[in-house]
Amino acid sequence: MTGVFITFEGGDGSGKTTQIELLKSWLEERGHTVVVTREPGGTDLGNELRDIILHRKGFIAPRAEALLYAADRAHHIHTLVAPALERGDVVVQDRYLDSSVAYQGAGRVLDPTEVRDVSLWATENLMPHLTILLDVPADVAKQRQDSDERAYDRLEAEAEDFHQRVRESYQRLADAEPERFVILDGTDSIEEIHHQITQKVATLLS
Ligand code: TMP
C-alpha cells in the first residue's frame, strides 16, 4: 500500500470534526488526494449499523456492541479504506480501532486486548501511520456537547465515569505506542491545534 492512513481519536466533543476539515483543506492545497471518512458509518452498510448502534432504544449487550463496531470496521476497511490506500490517497478517518479499545474495552469493561484483536482480525491487521488524539477533560467535553443542539446518542449519554475511563484508556494507548500517537490538548485554540497537526503530518509525508 502506498497511501497514508491518519486517524483521529478522542472523547465525544473533543473537536475532531473541525480539525479533520481543516486538515483536509491543508492537504488538498498541497496537492494530495484526500479521503475523509468515519467509523461507524463510512459506508452505506456502516450508516445502517451506526443507526442501530447509536440510536436503537434499549440495551445492547457489550459484546454485541463490540461486534457491531467491528462489523462496520471490516466492511469499511475492505470496501473503502484499503482501496484508497492502494491508490495512494491520504485517508483521514474520524475514529478507528482505538475507539473500540477505549469505549468497549474500558467503557464497557471488556478485555481491551480481546477487543483490539477482534478489530485486527476484522481489518486484516491494518494499522494507521499516525493517530491524533485530542484530549479534553470530561467537563469541557460535556459543556461543548450541551451547547450542541443535537440529542445525545447512546454512547454520549453514558455517565461521567464511563467517559473518564475512556479518556484514561486513550492515554494508556498513546503511552504504549508513542511512535504512532500524538496527544494534543483539545482545549487549545482551533488554530494552535491545527498548526500542531500539520507539523506532524508534514513530517509524516516528507
Ligand atoms: P461519533 O459521534 O464520534 O461519530 O462516534 C459515535 C460514537 O460511537 C461515539 O460515542 C464513540 C462510539 N464508538 C465506540 O464506542 N466504539 C467504536 O469503535 C467507535 C468507532 C465509536
Side-chain angles (χ1 to χ4, degrees):
M1 279 189 205
T2 54
V4 176
F5 187 24
I6 301 170
T7 57
F8 278 73
E9 296 285 354
D12 301 286
S14 58
K16 298 186 299 304
T17 314
T18 306
Q19 291 300 332
I20 286 171
E21 279 310 309
L22 290 171
L23 178 60
K24 176 181 193 276
S25 304
W26 185 88
L27 284 163
E28 284 176 346
E29 279 161 21
R30 279 151 189 82
H32 296 282
T33 303
V34 184
V35 175
V36 170
T37 187
R38 67 171 181 176
E39 291 185 3
T43 60
D44 287 348
L45 174 63
N47 273 320
E48 291 183 42
L49 292 169
R50 182 182 174 94
D51 256 6
I52 295 171
I53 306 170
L54 297 184
H55 303 301
R56 183 180 182 278
K57 298 279 174 276
F59 178 69
I60 297 181
R63 282 165 195 260
E65 184 181 279
L67 288 168
L68 286 167
Y69 279 112
D72 164 67
R73 186 159 297 134
H75 186 70
H76 183 222
I77 295 304
H78 184 88
T79 62
L80 192 135
V81 176
L85 294 173
E86 296 286 354
R87 290 195 303 270
D89 296 351
V90 181
V91 176
V92 178
Q93 183 166 316
D94 192 343
R95 300 191 178 282
Y96 189 46
L97 85 184
D98 301 300
S99 280
S100 282
V101 177
Y103 282 78
Q104 282 64 56
R108 299 287 186 223
V109 201
L110 295 173
D111 182 316
T113 308
E114 289 178 358
V115 171
R116 183 182 158 99
D117 286 348
V118 168
S119 274
L120 287 174
W121 178 79
T123 64
E124 299 180 61
N125 300 311
L126 181 69
M127 288 301 286
H129 297 102
L130 174 67
T131 298
I132 295 158
L133 172 59
L134 297 182
D135 180 54
V136 168
D139 55 327
V140 177
K142 189 164 180 340
Q143 270 170 18
R144 288 182 182 177
Q145 286 178 284
D146 285 346
S147 63
D148 188 342
E149 312 247 301
R150 204 172 46 84
Y152 278 42
D153 67 38
R154 227 169 41 80
L155 281 284
E156 287 166 348
E158 282 296 331
E160 199 171 319
D161 63 321
F162 177 97
H163 292 288
Q164 187 54 33
R165 288 199 299 279
V166 167
R167 185 178 183 210
E168 287 165 8
S169 169
Y170 271 135
Q171 281 164 347
R172 282 195 297 276
L173 286 168
D175 289 346
E177 281 182 81
E179 63 298 334
R180 172 165 69 94
F181 271 91
V182 50
I183 309 187
L184 299 178
D185 182 345
T187 64
D188 279 347
S189 72
I190 290 175
E191 295 73 24
E192 174 58 25
I193 297 171
H194 175 59
H195 174 68
Q196 292 183 25
I197 291 172
T198 54
Q199 280 194 320
K200 274 282 164 193
V201 174
T203 310
L204 179 68
L205 295 173
S206 64

